[in-house]
Amino acid sequence: MVIKADNACRQSGLAIKVIPVPPSVSSDCGMCLEIAAAEVEPFKTAIILKFSRDWPFVLYATVLLGAGLFIERFYCSENRNGYEGVFSYREYNATGSANSNNYWQQAHAMAAMVEYYNRIKATDAEEKARIEGYFQKWYDKRGNNYEGNQNWRGSTGFGNDFTDDTCWIIIALFQMYDATGNQTYYDAAKQTWDECVWPRHELTQSGWLPWKWSDLGPNECTNGPAAIAAATLAQYSRAAGNEEAAQEYIDQACTCFDQNIDVMASDGTLGS
């Protein structure tokens, strides 16, 4: 919602910037829009005049107020309650059972931050550096991976019992690499796939990837993102001139995609 508000405000010509919620405003983590002094009055009058203003100001105020109904916190940029560098810190990934194992949502939140970074990196050097710092904090925290089994975490620390969660984290790392060119993110993604994800296909009779180490039933919510991750690795390998590795990853992607085809309904939908 904050990113949507940012986009709407920029289209309306309003001078704003997405920043972390200052500690002096709230002890919780979150993101907010910093309004340039010249624009404070239009926002204020949009409220005072009961939205009887030109539509860009009404839209601006409405989006911000709407976002406040749903957003408590997004990215924790400072050390609050022991958490820093992760998304939605409160109880989110503290244990394997907290809020239904939401490791994968760290990846989707990171995808939103990468999208924002891509939009500003060419025009705002200060903001670019700030977001790159957020990327690094998230990486150092290993996406707040709660997994306690070191064998499942792997040498990168991004592996998890849940194969689908790990695949989404890998995709997020690729997105971070594409946006920044930081080789560390690519290396972590590739190594996590090679060590923690693809070897699991040998655990199932079908050769498809299982939902998790502790439940070897293959499903499409795992093999779908896995096909994306493997195809991405094939693309990188081909770009580097390593056709042999590219073909191996293509074969892996096709294997994962075959699972999706196998369970696909006649109308082309996936049911579970």
Side-chain angles (χ1 to χ4, degrees):
M1 290 297 294
V2 173
I3 293 177
K4 288 183 178 179
D6 171 54
N7 189 47
C9 294
R10 291 179 186 277
Q11 291 178 356
S12 300
L14 299 175
I16 48 83
K17 179 183 289 188
V18 178
I19 63 170
V21 174
S24 59
V25 175
S26 172
S27 60
D28 277 343
C29 298
M31 302 294 285
C32 65
L33 296 185
E34 181 181 61
I35 311 170
E39 302 297 345
V40 171
E41 190 63 22
F43 174 76
K44 181 179 178 181
T45 55
I47 303 298
I48 293 175
L49 297 178
K50 299 180 180 180
F51 297 94
S52 181
R53 292 221 56 193
D54 294 338
W55 74 265
F57 302 107
V58 173
L59 174 63
Y60 175 51
T62 302
V63 169
L64 290 184
L65 292 173
L69 297 176
F70 303 99
I71 303 299
E72 286 188 74
R73 62 198 66 82
F74 181 60
Y75 179 83
C76 194
S77 60
E78 298 181 5
N79 190 355
R80 297 170 180 171
N81 296 341
Y83 287 83
E84 179 182 14
V86 298
F87 298 95
S88 195
Y89 72 94
R90 183 174 294 171
E91 298 180 352
Y92 223 42
N93 298 111
T95 68
S97 61
N99 290 325
S100 302
N101 303 323
N102 290 314
Y103 184 40
W104 62 273
Q105 285 160 321
Q106 291 281 329
H108 295 324
M110 176 53 71
M113 182 172 281
V114 170
E115 173 64 21
Y116 172 70
Y117 174 83
N118 282 331
R119 290 192 291 112
I120 59 87
K121 64 181 180 181
T123 58
D124 192 334
E126 181 180 354
E127 183 73 348
K128 174 178 178 288
R130 185 169 68 90
I131 300 300
E132 287 173 354
Y134 291 172
F135 290 162
Q136 186 63 51
K137 288 181 180 180
W138 187 87
Y139 175 85
D140 292 342
K141 198 82 171 187
R142 299 301 186 263
N144 208 20
N145 187 3
Y146 61 80
E147 182 56 66
N149 187 318
Q150 187 58 46
N151 291 330
W152 296 346
R153 287 177 66 94
S155 61
T156 68
F158 284 103
N160 189 276
D161 180 22
F162 287 86
T163 313
D164 54 336
D165 290 41
T166 308
C167 288
W168 286 118
I169 292 292
I170 288 170
I171 291 170
L173 287 165
F174 283 146
Q175 292 168 331
M176 293 162 65
Y177 166 68
D178 286 338
T180 65
N182 188 329
Q183 186 71 26
T184 300
Y185 304 144
Y186 170 82
D187 292 342
K190 181 180 183 301
Q191 193 167 347
T192 301
W193 172 269
D194 291 340
E195 288 184 3
C196 302
V197 175
W198 183 242
R200 300 184 187 190
H201 84 284
E202 297 179 349
L203 302 175
T204 65
Q205 291 182 344
S206 62
W208 297 325
L209 287 172
W211 179 36
K212 53 183 179 178
W213 275 108
S214 55
D215 185 337
L216 298 180
N219 61 16
E220 52 268 40
C221 73
T222 296
N223 285 274
I228 296 172
T232 302
L233 280 163
Q235 184 179 32
Y236 290 138
S237 298
R238 181 159 289 164
N242 191 341
E243 188 59 35
E244 181 179 356
Q247 189 58 54
E248 290 181 4
Y249 287 124
I250 288 173
D251 291 342
Q252 294 172 11
C254 289
T255 296
C256 296
F257 192 70
D258 283 346
Q259 189 277 335
N260 282 234
I261 294 175
D262 185 73
V263 298
M264 189 176 293
S266 59
D267 62 357
T269 59
L270 297 173
S272 63

